[in-house]
């Protein structure tokens, strides 16, 4: 039986994968902070035992970026990614039977704010600022050193759509009549925020910031697809092939929920609102235009290539798929 190890299994994606693989009859072990995990991050020996002999290792660990970028939170966001990745690499290096493939989460936010053209693995331009620095440090730690028996793939994941995660607050806003586009504008920045790279610069107008996304079913399908493709490694964009924009996203959400109108949210509203709910406006105002060139070239067929059917599968009552998309992990 194929054995899968999932680190960071308590999150939205991790929980989905654990349930999916166990339903398929696979042996699943977890690494995390909770008492239910098979190994704790504070126990290197237990991590080594869990990793040794597994076929597939998937690391999704990392503190949520949905918070205010205070010095303490910034440090924890980086630490929770870099240190957990380093701990897993130590376990892989010491394993008598190392995993055949190791997937490490990364983020499509690593690319620059893009309104002019899509960012691919081949010719995408990396951005600047705190979020990009986090992604660079994460990937640098992941690809550090030689692991000759283990193929490594960094998953540059776009915003994941599913029954949870970002969809719940978006649907809530729309139901309260606040489901209009999020509109950028000028906003003053302190010297400290500029130095920390946490101030979002005004660029996209009229809610036209690009929205790159991927359905949760395709996240799982892509991992299965890559497990079966030993010729693929390195960085892979995990995003749907047809990105949208913020204005279109919110219009589709309203239509599917039967809301005839939605009040737009201008930046002068978003900034104080985000401070109250302890998050950052960059999460909705940065233009992310990412295309999965390597997956398309390799022949992966998306279950949800277009935004409206993806949202319909989530927002329509009773329409969320109960069965997984694609075959479960089998082997190379």
């Amino acid at each position: 039986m194929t054995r899968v190890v999932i680190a960071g299994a308590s999150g939205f994606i991790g929980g989905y994968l654990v349930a999916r693989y166990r339903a398929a009859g696979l042996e699943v072990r977890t690494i995390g902070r909770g008492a239910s995990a098979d190994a704790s991050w504070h126990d290197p020996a237990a991590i080594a035992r869990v990793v040794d002999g597994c076929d597939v290792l998937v690391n999704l660990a990392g503190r949520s970026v949905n918070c205010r970028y205070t010095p303490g939170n910034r440090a924890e966001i980086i630490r929770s990614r870099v240190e957990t990745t380093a701990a897993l690499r130590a376990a892989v290096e010491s394993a008598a039977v190392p995993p055949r493939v190791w997937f490490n989460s990364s983020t499509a936010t690593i690319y620059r704010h893009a309104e002019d053209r899509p960012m691919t693995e081949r010719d995408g331009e990396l951005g600047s600022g705190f979020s990009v620095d986090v992604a660079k440090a994460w990937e640098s730690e992941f690809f550090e050193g030689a692991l000759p028996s283990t193929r490594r793939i960094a998953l540059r994941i776009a915003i994941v759509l599913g029954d949870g995660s970002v969809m719940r607050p978006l649907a809530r806003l729309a139901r309260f009549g606040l489901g209009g586009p999020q509109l950028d504008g000028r906003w003053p920045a302190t010297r400290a925020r500029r130095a920390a790279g946490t101030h979002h610069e005004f660029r996209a107008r009229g809610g036209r910031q690009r929205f790159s996304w991927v359905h949760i079913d395709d996240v799982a399908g892509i991992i299965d697809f890559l497990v079966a493709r030993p010729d693929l490694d390195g960085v892979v964009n995990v995003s749907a092939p047809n990105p949208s924009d913020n204005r279109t996203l919110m219009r589709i959400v309203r239509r599917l929920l039967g809301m005839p109108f939605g009040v737009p949210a201008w930046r002068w509203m978003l900034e104080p609102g985000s401070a109250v709910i302890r998050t950052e406006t960059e999460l909705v105002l940065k233009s992310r235009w990412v295309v999965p060139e390597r997956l398309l070239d390799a022949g992966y067929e998306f279950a949800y290539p277009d935004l409206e059917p993806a949202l319909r599968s989530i927002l329509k009552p009773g329409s969320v798929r109960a069965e997984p998309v694609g075959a479960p992990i089998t082997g190379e």
Side-chain angles (χ1 to χ4, degrees):
M1 177 184 291
T2 299
R3 177 149 62 95
V4 183
V5 172
I6 299 180
S10 61
F12 172 58
I13 301 173
Y16 177 91
L17 293 179
V18 169
R20 179 182 189 273
Y21 296 145
R22 284 178 175 163
L26 305 183
E27 180 185 357
V28 180
R29 301 287 181 87
T30 61
I31 303 170
R33 295 174 298 171
S36 63
D38 295 297
S40 165
W41 290 116
H42 301 296
D43 190 344
I47 295 173
R49 287 194 298 272
V50 167
V51 169
D52 195 357
C54 79
D55 298 281
V56 178
L57 172 61
V58 182
N59 179 30
L60 303 164
R63 189 203 194 284
S64 172
V65 297
N66 186 19
C67 64
R68 292 298 284 178
Y69 292 161
T70 63
N73 284 345
R74 295 199 306 272
E76 180 60 17
I77 286 170
I78 294 176
R79 186 207 64 77
S80 64
R81 286 159 171 75
V82 172
E83 290 187 7
T84 53
T85 300
L88 291 175
R89 190 178 65 252
V92 173
E93 288 173 337
S94 67
V97 182
R100 291 178 291 114
V101 58
W102 173 10
F103 296 96
N104 214 68
S105 182
S106 181
T107 172
T109 297
I110 197 170
Y111 298 110
R112 66 170 171 82
H113 177 104
E115 300 177 57
D116 55 333
R117 65 178 181 85
M119 301 289 108
T120 68
E121 300 94 338
R122 178 172 52 85
D123 61 6
E125 300 174 48
L126 303 190
S128 60
F130 170 69
S131 297
V132 173
D133 291 343
V134 170
K136 289 177 179 177
W138 205 359
E139 291 188 5
S140 177
E141 185 66 40
F142 177 52
F143 289 115
E144 178 70 21
L147 297 175
S149 300
T150 300
R151 182 162 52 99
R152 284 178 281 186
I153 300 175
L155 302 171
R156 290 180 175 172
I157 304 175
I159 294 173
V160 180
L161 304 182
D163 186 17
S165 187
V166 70
M167 290 313 305
R168 289 179 180 172
L170 286 181
R172 191 178 305 118
L173 284 173
R175 289 189 177 104
F176 280 103
L178 302 174
Q182 286 87 47
L183 304 175
D184 206 349
R186 303 192 185 282
W187 190 259
T190 64
R191 183 177 302 177
R193 283 180 68 83
R194 288 195 182 278
T198 59
H199 175 69
H200 169 75
E201 298 290 349
F202 168 46
R203 281 163 291 199
R205 296 177 182 273
R208 295 301 181 188
Q209 61 268 32
R210 303 293 295 192
F211 177 71
S212 288
W213 58 277
V214 63
H215 194 285
I216 186 69
D217 284 356
D218 275 313
V219 175
I222 287 165
I223 291 174
D224 292 347
F225 178 82
L226 292 171
V227 166
R229 289 293 300 266
D231 56 316
L232 297 176
D233 62 5
V235 299
V236 173
N237 289 345
V238 180
S239 59
N242 299 312
S244 185
D245 61 29
N246 177 267
R247 182 175 289 275
T248 303
L249 164 69
M250 298 311 297
R251 183 173 65 246
I252 295 173
V253 169
R254 293 196 307 271
R255 182 166 64 244
L256 293 176
L257 293 176
M259 293 299 299
F261 67 91
V263 177
W266 286 270
R267 181 133 186 217
W268 61 266
M269 301 164 61
L270 290 168
E271 288 289 348
S274 66
V276 169
I277 64 174
R278 312 306 296 166
T279 188
E280 294 285 344
T281 57
E282 177 199 52
L283 300 178
V284 295
L285 296 179
K286 180 175 179 178
S287 185
R288 298 169 174 85
W289 191 353
V290 181
V291 170
E293 184 177 62
R294 295 192 70 196
L295 287 172
L296 294 174
D297 288 348
Y300 178 74
E301 295 185 9
F302 281 81
Y304 292 98
D306 298 304
L307 182 58
E308 183 158 353
L311 291 175
R312 186 180 297 114
S313 78
I314 300 161
L315 295 176
K316 287 289 186 179
S319 62
V320 178
R321 299 164 68 101
E323 72 279 10
V325 171
I329 289 176
T330 53
E332 297 176 353

